[in-house]
Amino acid sequence: MVEYSGIPEGHVHDAEGRLLKPANEIVTDDYPEELETFISEWQPQQLSSKVDWEWTTKIAWPELRHVVMLKRLDIFESDTPRLQQATSNIDISRRIRNTPGWLPVRSIYFLDVATPLTTTLMIESTGPPKRNKYRPDTRENQRDFSTWVLQEKLHAYVGADRIPGVCDLYSDYCDLPDRYFLNTDPEPAIGSRRLYRFAGYSATQYFILAKRVFSEQLVSEGGFGMTYMIEPGPVVTGLHGWRIIGSFFGFDHQLEGSSCYTIYRRWDPFPRVLIAMDTILNPEEWDNSFKFYAFDVPVPGTILYTLQHCLRSIHSAEACIPRHRLTTEFPRNPWEFRMNIYVFPAALEDCSMNQTPQLQYY
């Protein structure tokens, strides 16, 4: 357990601001949960059936005549000094993720084969300090005098023009020492030179959190009930009482055949979430700060999450607090099936967890 030394807020103080109860007797939810407890309810993930992949791949990539298996490139950065590493190898990605000082910054998906619209993205490495270089196979930076070793090759789009769901990527260069940064920013950072342009499918990692809560407004469910929250990554903080049950990657832009899912959140009378493809009732009462794109059919390489809603209870005919959840479990009372959502998976080993307390938004 990581100890949290902050003074609990929202509790009775005397006239001079002193707590009327000892701080160690006040239970708060704004400190991290033990890691083993936080991950104890993780739900297994299973790839969609390969039987369907031949026809579903034509929904997202109708111009391609083979089953498309996207490759995910995970990008990590270090601050002291500022360096960047990127890899599509799962084992190397998890090793970097567990290295102190390195944090994930973004993930990009690329096609698994070359097409007339793609070019070869060369990823090379050197060190120490360990870092990567990104360039087309036909170009070379004449300012760079470091010795680089080929790490891998990817099939990146030449540009994002007229390709649904694709965004531009840029390879920026810094010297002393020679460093490269792959990013989606329209302008290079101060001290960087923009060299090359690529394109790919940018995606955000989302974390599914669950918590058992008590509320007087849950009388129809016996006073206690489960609530769920969706948090955008690339890093998640496990606060007290919450459990991470799943994670997935949602696209930032709309691919052909994909649907837009908006995540609505609110924190009264307890944290809860709604996920919708259109406008919800009383949207002004909810925070719709982010959205992602996914599929309603089993595109190759995806997993199935079912969206379920809680609208009634087995304990009473009274209305309950409306809320949704994403899960791999079958619906059971008081949860009812709503729709299927197919997303790209993120295993527990692919989740970066922060053990530092953040703002008390739960």
Side-chain angles (χ1 to χ4, degrees):
M1 170 72 73
V2 178
E3 295 184 358
Y4 176 48
S5 58
I7 298 178
E9 298 181 358
H11 297 274
V12 181
H13 295 66
D14 63 12
E16 297 183 0
R18 294 173 296 191
L19 287 170
L20 295 182
K21 291 183 63 177
N24 59 1
E25 296 182 9
I26 298 177
V27 178
T28 62
D29 291 341
D30 56 348
Y31 61 89
E33 184 64 89
E34 291 184 355
L35 180 59
E36 293 185 359
T37 303
F38 183 56
I39 66 176
S40 61
E41 298 181 15
W42 179 269
Q43 297 177 353
Q45 300 175 341
Q46 184 175 356
L47 286 178
S48 55
S49 174
K50 296 182 179 180
V51 176
D52 300 319
W53 289 1
E54 186 172 353
W55 69 268
T56 58
T57 192
K58 298 178 182 178
I59 293 178
W61 301 278
E63 72 283 357
L64 300 180
R65 300 184 179 276
H66 69 283
V67 174
V68 176
M69 292 294 294
L70 295 182
K71 298 186 69 174
R72 189 184 80 226
L73 181 72
D74 294 327
I75 304 174
F76 303 87
E77 287 191 3
S78 172
D79 288 335
T80 52
R82 184 166 179 256
L83 304 169
Q84 190 178 95
Q85 294 188 67
T87 180
S88 64
N89 184 289
I90 295 298
D91 295 331
I92 298 177
S93 174
R94 293 172 179 174
R95 187 187 67 202
I96 300 175
R97 193 180 300 272
N98 293 324
T99 301
W102 288 90
L103 292 175
V105 291
R106 65 182 58 88
S107 294
I108 310 292
Y109 282 86
F110 297 98
L111 295 179
D112 58 341
V113 295
T115 73
L117 299 178
T118 62
T119 185
T120 301
L121 168 58
M122 308 280 286
I123 300 181
E124 301 169 316
S125 64
T126 190
K130 182 71 173 179
R131 57 197 188 276
N132 286 135
K133 175 181 180 179
Y134 320 100
R135 67 175 181 88
D137 59 344
T138 58
R139 302 283 298 277
E140 188 58 83
N141 179 18
Q142 300 302 321
R143 296 175 180 265
D144 186 348
F145 294 98
S146 299
T147 301
W148 298 86
V149 178
L150 178 63
Q151 175 178 297
E152 61 180 305
K153 297 180 181 180
L154 295 173
H155 303 290
Y157 285 106
V158 176
D161 300 333
R162 298 185 299 276
I163 304 177
V166 174
C167 70
D168 285 322
L169 309 171
Y170 304 97
S171 178
D172 297 338
Y173 167 72
C174 296
D175 51 13
L176 301 175
D178 298 313
R179 293 165 292 159
Y180 294 80
F181 298 90
L182 195 63
N183 63 68
T184 58
D185 300 330
E187 298 293 335
I190 296 177
S192 300
R193 301 180 181 91
R194 180 141 292 174
L195 297 182
Y196 314 118
R197 175 192 178 197
F198 307 96
Y201 301 102
S202 64
T204 298
Q205 185 174 7
Y206 295 92
F207 303 95
I208 308 173
L209 307 179
K211 184 179 183 180
R212 189 169 186 262
V213 295
F214 172 81
S215 174
E216 295 180 353
Q217 298 188 40
L218 287 178
V219 61
S220 64
E221 299 180 40
F224 287 93
M226 293 298 300
T227 188
Y228 296 81
M229 184 60 65
I230 308 293
E231 283 297 313
V235 179
V236 63
T237 299
L239 296 182
H240 176 67
W242 290 88
R243 306 288 184 267
I244 182 171
I245 64 171
S247 181
F248 64 91
F249 285 92
F251 290 107
D252 300 330
H253 307 280
Q254 189 163 21
L255 284 74
E256 189 166 347
S258 65
S259 301
C260 178
Y261 299 89
T262 303
I263 299 178
Y264 297 87
R265 304 188 298 176
R266 65 185 297 174
W267 290 265
D268 63 302
F270 50 80
R272 50 197 172 106
V273 64
L274 295 181
I275 303 175
M277 299 176 62
D278 50 15
T279 304
I280 63 173
L281 184 65
N282 300 322
E284 69 279 358
E285 300 178 359
W286 296 76
D287 173 20
N288 59 343
S289 57
F290 53 93
K291 63 182 67 175
F292 66 91
Y293 296 90
F295 296 90
D296 60 354
V297 294
V299 169
T302 58
I303 62 172
L304 170 64
Y305 273 108
T306 61
L307 178 62
Q308 302 171 10
H309 60 247
C310 181
L311 296 178
R312 59 189 179 87
S313 172
I314 62 174
H315 299 285
S316 169
E318 300 179 29
C320 70
I321 303 298
R323 56 197 187 276
H324 290 173
R325 73 170 183 171
L326 278 179
T327 180
T328 59
E329 297 179 344
F330 289 105
R332 61 181 186 274
N333 285 329
W335 299 96
E336 297 178 352
F337 174 81
R338 193 174 186 89
M339 70 177 77
N340 289 331
I341 301 178
Y342 290 89
V343 292
F344 282 83
L348 180 59
E349 295 80 7
D350 300 325
C351 298
S352 296
M353 304 178 192
N354 182 16
Q355 291 296 298
T356 303
Q358 297 180 336
L359 295 177
Q360 188 177 354
Y361 49 83
Y362 286 165

